């Protein structure tokens, strides 16, 4: 395993663990937001779910830019 693949694996594991912890708190956050407005609860839940692939997409874009600068 090279240093770069090790860093990538550690970053992915850290992001995944962060979201696992988030899954513990998201029901309470959604219910609290839904007390204000049901639509706000839906928005909070959707944002949480959509940030997971968005973080990996942004990370891949960042890595591609770094690789393009090196080449």
């Amino acid at each position: 395993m090279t240093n770069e693949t090790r860093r990538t694996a550690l970053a992915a594991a850290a992001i995944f663990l962060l979201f696992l912890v988030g899954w513990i708190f998201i029901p309470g956050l959604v219910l609290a937001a839904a007390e204000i407005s049901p639509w706000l609860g839906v928005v909070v839940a959707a944002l949480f779910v959509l940030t997971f692939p968005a973080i990996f997409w942004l990370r891949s874009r960042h890595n591609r830019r770094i690789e393009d600068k090196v080449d």
Side-chain angles (χ1 to χ4, degrees), residues 20-48:
L20 281 178
V21 171
W23 278 108
I24 293 170
F25 297 108
I26 195 67
L29 290 172
V30 169
L31 288 173
E35 284 182 11
I36 298 169
S37 166
W39 289 105
L40 184 60
V42 170
V43 168
V44 169
L47 284 176
F48 181 76

Side-chain angles (χ1 to χ4, degrees), residues 44-59:
V44 169
L47 284 176
F48 181 76
V49 170
L50 293 175
T51 54
F52 189 71
I55 287 174
F56 285 108
W57 176 70
L58 288 172
R59 181 167 165 72

Side-chain angles (χ1 to χ4, degrees), residues 52-69:
F52 189 71
I55 287 174
F56 285 108
W57 176 70
L58 288 172
R59 181 167 165 72
S60 69
R61 283 190 59 185
H62 175 72
N63 286 342
R64 265 188 260 134
R65 284 187 184 170
I66 290 173
E67 288 174 2
D68 288 345
K69 287 181 183 179

